[in-house]
Amino acid sequence: MVNLSVSSFDDLSARIAAVRDEHRERHPGGADGRQPVHTVYVPADRFSRSTPADFGAEALRLLNTHTPGAGSFGAAFGLDPEIAGLVRERVAAKLSAEPVEDVRIDFEDGYGVRPDAEEDGHVAQVVEAVAAAYQVKGLPHYWGVRVKSFADGGHERAMRTLDAFLTALRDRLGRLPGGFTITFPKVVAAEHVALFAEYLERLETALGLPAGILRFEVQVETPESVLDGEGRTALRGIAAAAAGRLTAAHFGVFDYTAALGLPPHEQRLDHPACDFARHVMQVSLAGTGVRLSDGSTNVIPRNDGPDEVNAAWAAHAAHVRHSLRHGFYQGWDLHPAHLPSRYAAVYAFHLDGVDDVIGRVRAWHEQAAGNAGVLDEPATIRALTARLRRAVDCGALDESVLPAS
């Protein structure tokens, strides 16, 4: 028999449950399904039905030209010789089978401001390219468009481009291919996000699309998208303003660092100012189901010379590793030369120590300590399991190696 000093705490239990339920609604957990390791941005006027395959072919040519064997490959990317051969083999296979996991057809900075007639023409050209790629299974798993920002007067052009694109694609294919995402850049106010979400709702109705099918990612590339006008973290308000349509937040290195006044030679992905912004993104959006992506590296080879290619690879791979260490598993790629260094860094990250990871997960499920004598916390096991899942999704590991859960 238990003696209680308080006759009843039913009202407290009900209120505790209400707080718990509200928290679960705001923090439903991580996003379901596969997250791409990158998003490749291609200017709209340069996109064709074969662009993803062309990127892969050029990346594979660079790989074979400059790192023909495991030794040269390991040296180029600073890999442990024990895994260099395996990583190279899997990177080559990836570049042949699925070089691009996510592509964004760009009507913003990578495309520029052009006369309406010219952009309208490129919209029509992109529709034909997307339709042709879709019909031959040439679209990446994820794909989409980036429109102009609402922050700098491009809002009417952004809405016109998206309307024209989706209308023509519906007429051409009769449907919207899966994996479609819109990139909404240079967010300076949650109100702009709310207006964009309202526009998408109207567009769905006008086009006869299922409600909620048009989803988007925001680009965190302004100080105002990190801290709002009151000095509070801005991303919670931005996510709320998206009204359930927000899939991801992508960090924009160069606009952000320029807005902070950093000198050009310090405008780089691994600057401490960028780490601050990424940490705010992580804390603000943890558990919300909104995925995070890092930004880009602007170093590309100026020619095919080994010095140029290897310098670009070294810079890009270092930035990818920096992102991975900070828990950002996706980033932007801008050039075919970025694909070998992206996959080399990602695959090495996943394969380094993977046997220990598998052992720890298996030991947990067997309710025993791992090889190191450490009985992991459930949160750690969830993180390790997520790491293995990411490794399988991107092609670094085979599904068969995963321990039964």
Side-chain angles (χ1 to χ4, degrees):
M1 180 175 180
V2 178
N3 293 319
L4 298 176
S5 300
V6 179
S7 60
S8 173
F9 46 78
D10 288 349
D11 62 319
L12 297 179
S13 293
R15 287 154 63 189
I16 291 168
V19 172
R20 178 201 63 209
D21 293 344
E22 181 181 0
H23 178 268
R24 285 179 178 172
E25 184 176 350
R26 292 183 178 181
H27 299 84
D32 293 330
R34 169 186 178 185
Q35 180 176 11
V37 301
H38 66 179
T39 300
V40 172
Y41 279 76
V42 180
D45 58 321
R46 300 180 195 171
F47 184 80
S48 73
R49 60 178 285 179
S50 64
T51 293
D54 293 344
F55 263 60
E58 174 62 7
L60 190 58
R61 184 189 70 81
L62 290 170
L63 180 77
N64 289 330
T65 298
H66 296 284
T67 58
S72 56
F73 181 83
F77 299 109
L79 304 185
D80 184 331
E82 290 189 5
I83 65 170
L86 176 61
V87 172
R88 190 194 185 284
E89 175 186 326
R90 296 197 173 184
V91 169
K94 181 72 170 182
L95 294 176
S96 298
E98 190 192 30
V100 176
E101 294 192 354
D102 184 22
V103 68
R104 205 65 75 247
I105 303 162
D106 189 21
F107 286 96
E108 204 231 358
D109 281 353
Y111 175 78
V113 178
R114 310 192 186 203
D116 280 339
E118 184 176 356
E119 185 158 335
D120 289 343
H122 287 138
V123 170
Q125 175 183 310
V126 166
V127 167
E128 288 304 310
V130 167
Y134 172 72
Q135 289 169 334
V136 297
K137 301 186 187 311
L139 270 184
H141 189 85
Y142 294 105
W143 69 284
V145 298
R146 177 166 72 168
V147 296
K148 289 179 169 59
S149 169
F150 278 19
D152 53 12
H155 53 283
E156 291 186 356
R157 182 65 253 186
M159 291 187 285
R160 174 171 171 163
T161 291
L162 194 54
D163 188 346
F165 174 78
L166 290 172
T167 299
L169 192 64
R170 177 203 61 181
D171 294 343
R172 180 74 167 74
L173 292 179
R175 67 185 300 274
L176 179 63
F180 177 71
T181 302
I182 306 156
T183 304
F184 188 64
K186 294 184 177 65
V187 174
V188 298
E191 291 81 1
H192 278 168
V193 175
L195 289 165
F196 187 60
E198 182 178 339
Y199 168 69
L200 295 182
E201 182 179 9
R202 295 186 188 186
L203 198 54
E204 287 168 348
T205 300
L207 292 173
L209 294 172
I213 195 174
L214 297 179
R215 307 189 72 195
F216 64 97
E217 60 204 15
V218 293
Q219 289 195 262
V220 180
E221 50 186 339
T222 66
E224 298 92 336
S225 58
V226 177
L227 299 179
D228 67 16
E230 303 300 319
R232 301 167 300 195
T233 56
L235 284 163
R236 292 285 182 89
I238 288 170
R245 295 180 183 270
L246 190 64
T247 61
H250 288 220
F251 183 55
V253 173
F254 301 104
D255 281 277
Y256 182 77
T257 52
L260 296 184
L262 296 186
H265 66 279
E266 292 291 350
Q267 294 176 13
R268 51 186 170 81
L269 182 145
D270 56 355
H271 193 281
C274 296
D275 290 339
F276 169 78
R278 282 190 290 264
H279 296 161
V280 172
M281 292 170 66
Q282 286 173 310
V283 173
S284 299
L285 297 173
T288 64
V290 176
R291 287 175 168 156
L292 301 179
S293 173
D294 216 336
S296 61
T297 298
N298 63 356
V299 179
I300 62 174
R302 291 171 293 186
N303 55 55
D304 263 8
D307 290 345
E308 282 287 320
V309 172
N310 281 286
W313 278 348
H316 184 240
H319 286 165
V320 174
R321 287 192 289 267
H322 186 86
S323 300
L324 292 169
R325 285 194 299 268
H326 283 75
F328 278 68
Y329 301 105
Q330 182 178 352
W332 295 4
D333 289 331
L334 307 177
H335 189 273
H338 287 163
L339 301 188
S341 41
R342 168 71 60 183
Y343 290 119
V346 169
Y347 284 17
F349 174 81
H350 287 309
L351 292 174
D352 185 28
V354 70
D355 291 337
D356 178 62
V357 172
I358 293 171
R360 288 169 68 180
V361 173
R362 183 174 290 118
W364 169 264
H365 290 299
E366 294 171 355
Q367 294 297 300
N371 292 334
V374 176
L375 189 59
D376 288 300
E377 292 290 330
T380 301
I381 293 300
R382 286 194 294 271
L384 293 174
T385 302
R387 170 181 165 176
L388 294 175
R389 184 71 259 169
R390 291 178 189 280
V392 170
D393 286 344
C394 72
L397 280 179
D398 297 325
E399 181 91 32
S400 60
V401 308
L402 295 185
S405 60

